[in-house]
Amino acid sequence: MSSTEVAAQVANMYDTILILDFGSQYSHLITRRIREAGVYCELLPCTQKISELKFKPKGVVLSGSPYSITDKDAPHVDPE
């Protein structure tokens, strides 16, 4: 069983928070703090397609980047 499959099984057993990383220097800190609070969470890149997740997150944290949201090259979440 791959680590992705194991993570999906764990995420389905518990309420899970999804953290989408847009390049923030604090993404790992946010993940650690949420886990220290006793909440299971997964940190994934902002390019992750939500429709391809093998679990349904209870909540989503968007961890920012140094780009302005108005910059044309700024990363965006997949609209699907």
Side-chain angles (χ1 to χ4, degrees), residues 5 11 38:
E5 292 170 336

Side-chain angles (χ1 to χ4, degrees), residues 18-78:
L18 172 63
I19 302 168
L20 292 178
D21 183 9
F22 284 85
S24 169
Q25 60 186 348
Y26 297 107
S27 296
H28 290 278
L29 175 64
I30 292 168
T31 303
R32 188 175 78 227
R33 295 290 189 216
I34 291 173
R35 289 177 179 164
E36 286 173 355
V39 177
Y40 183 76
C41 61
E42 285 286 327
L43 174 63
L44 298 173
C46 65
T47 56
Q48 173 67 46
K49 292 181 184 254
I50 304 299
S51 61
E52 293 178 358
L53 287 176
K54 293 185 176 13
F55 64 94
K56 184 176 180 184
K58 190 76 166 185
V60 179
V61 174
L62 305 176
S63 184
S65 76
Y67 296 102
S68 169
I69 60 169
T70 58
D71 288 349
K72 71 174 188 164
D73 294 331
H76 292 84
V77 175
D78 181 26

